[in-house]
Amino acid sequence: MLALTIQEIATVVGGTVHDAVDPSAVTVTAPVVFDSRKVEPGGLFVALPGERVDGHDYAAAAVEAGAVGVLASRPVGVPAIVVADVPAAYGRLARAVVDRLTDTTVIGVTGSVGKTSTKDVLSQVLAAFGPTVANRGSNNNELGLPYTVSRATEDTCYLVLEMGARGIGHLTYLTGVAPPKVGVVTRVGAAHLGEFGSVDNIVIAKGELVEALPARYDGGVAVLNADDPLVVGMASRTRARVVTYGLADGADVRAEDVAVDGQGRPGFRLVFDGERAEVRLRLYGSHQVSNALAAAAVALGLGHPVGAVAEALSRADALSPGRMQVSTRADGVTVINDAYNASPDAMRAALQALADMAAPHGRRAVAVLGEMAELGEHSAQTHREIGERVAQVGVDWLVAIGGPDAGQYAEAASAGGVPVERVPDVASALGTVRAGLRAGDVVLVKAANSVGLQELARQLTEPDAVTA
């Protein structure tokens, strides 16, 4: 966190200081957090009212843990900056920090699918060229973004910000909190279709990122996926320099000779401006090629050399929990934990990765799938299409978890010749999967985050989960 006094923060957020002896002498030097359990000495605690708990009740404990003050909507008996709207003030504070980070390049990343993985790869690539701060996990909303910004310091060269949207105008707000110089749009898909209402609305919302970029003459760079017509079509909505990436021949940054090894990890030749360099990813799934190209396009667009970018890509690991995390048990069962979330595009990609990891070695492919969420009126048909995809990629056993939409998985996969077990909930699924696994199986665990399959994936990887 940039060092700011309590009084300076009160001024920029439009608040009033309470219960502080000398607010001009107390300085915030650590991140500004909204979870009292994550308070660091010298930090600031943001007290948020919630449906179940009220952050104001934890103000004293946060100060006792090391916070020098609280951002709150009412006096709390400890040093506090009192404002009318705490989340809005949090955003204003983040904007004040960004404005002071004069030597930091802010990069925004959005898209219906792939934004977290792209952000994770990009943060590791840019770290090869200078100190880099990025969202942890998916802290990509009006609270997570200010928190991430508050982790930046004067030494930060690159601030990589995943930006999520659940409606039109959300990205306009987030880019107002942290104006990016570089913007990446990965893909437009059906994720959150029920909330957006239509794909057209998703295009409008995601394109708000490139609209917020500065002109090319001021260093603005829009990084767009050339393999998605809806994304590359956003070029007309920005004044920034456009750099495209993808497998398409016309892409500025592209991959040649893509091949997936026997463990499901892709490699390719990175091509940019007539130069080429080999990349061998440590990530699983052929869909990671697109994420890697997006990261490469940012680094190359910022002027870093092709060879160094390829080396950095080849060292990148999966960082965020529940996203293509692969582990192998003592009995040879490989668990693919991709359970953090699930959109239709991500589900297809994960199923292909499962097939790529199982088929070359004659291993049994097992899919443990919970329902996807926020698909609106398209939900039943989309789940049925995924069930059909289960059969097409050659899954050997499907465990479908949940209600009517899980039934769509089950019916379509069964019609395609896949043995299916349908269970009502996660507890039932764990027992069913443990009983049915065989040594050497490859197991994909994936669903909407609300289903709670991350815990199932964790339990499947425990040492005592060894099969006979």
Side-chain angles (χ1 to χ4, degrees), residues 156-241:
T156 302
C157 290
Y158 302 106
L159 181 56
V160 181
L161 298 173
E162 177 183 339
M163 296 182 173
R166 292 179 176 272
I168 293 172
H170 289 189
L171 287 179
T172 296
Y173 174 77
L174 294 179
T175 56
V177 169
K181 178 173 282 188
V182 181
V184 184
V185 184
T186 60
R187 187 173 292 278
V188 169
H192 310 302
L193 187 57
E195 291 188 332
F196 281 97
S198 70
V199 171
D200 287 344
N201 285 343
I202 296 175
V203 173
I204 292 170
K206 299 301 182 182
E208 291 170 4
L209 174 58
V210 299
E211 290 176 346
L213 299 173
R216 61 181 300 145
Y217 305 107
D218 295 319
V221 181
V223 175
L224 303 177
N225 185 352
D227 296 329
D228 187 334
L230 296 177
V231 172
V232 78
M234 295 176 187
S236 63
R237 295 170 61 182
T238 184
R239 302 169 298 152
R241 171 193 172 201

Side-chain angles (χ1 to χ4, degrees), residues 49-50 103 126 138 192 211 245 249 281 283 293 299 311 317-318 338 427:
D103 295 325
L126 292 180
S138 285
H192 310 302
E211 290 176 346
Y245 70 90
D249 289 339
L281 294 177
L283 308 170
L293 287 175
E311 290 179 8
D317 292 310
D338 201 34

Side-chain angles (χ1 to χ4, degrees), residues 94-277:
R95 176 58 187 264
V97 171
V98 170
D99 288 345
R100 288 164 169 77
L101 293 171
T102 55
D103 295 325
T104 301
T105 299
V106 179
I107 300 112
V109 182
T110 197
S112 299
V113 65
K115 58 183 177 292
T116 299
S117 295
T118 296
K119 174 265 300 179
D120 286 346
V121 174
L122 177 57
S123 68
Q124 295 174 81
V125 169
L126 292 180
F129 306 107
T132 300
V133 171
N135 317 66
R136 291 170 176 162
S138 285
N139 273 307
N140 62 16
N141 61 12
E142 68 275 10
L143 300 179
L145 204 74
Y147 164 64
T148 304
V149 168
S150 77
R151 291 174 40 230
T153 67
E154 294 90 342
D155 297 329
T156 302
C157 290
Y158 302 106
L159 181 56
V160 181
L161 298 173
E162 177 183 339
M163 296 182 173
R166 292 179 176 272
I168 293 172
H170 289 189
L171 287 179
T172 296
Y173 174 77
L174 294 179
T175 56
V177 169
K181 178 173 282 188
V182 181
V184 184
V185 184
T186 60
R187 187 173 292 278
V188 169
H192 310 302
L193 187 57
E195 291 188 332
F196 281 97
S198 70
V199 171
D200 287 344
N201 285 343
I202 296 175
V203 173
I204 292 170
K206 299 301 182 182
E208 291 170 4
L209 174 58
V210 299
E211 290 176 346
L213 299 173
R216 61 181 300 145
Y217 305 107
D218 295 319
V221 181
V223 175
L224 303 177
N225 185 352
D227 296 329
D228 187 334
L230 296 177
V231 172
V232 78
M234 295 176 187
S236 63
R237 295 170 61 182
T238 184
R239 302 169 298 152
R241 171 193 172 201
V242 174
V243 177
T244 60
Y245 70 90
L247 301 178
D249 289 339
D252 298 316
V253 178
R254 65 184 190 278
E256 291 181 344
D257 298 331
V258 177
V260 178
D261 68 15
Q263 294 181 298
R265 298 175 302 191
F268 59 92
R269 187 173 300 112
L270 177 65
V271 182
F272 175 67
D273 199 23
E275 296 187 61
R276 289 169 168 77

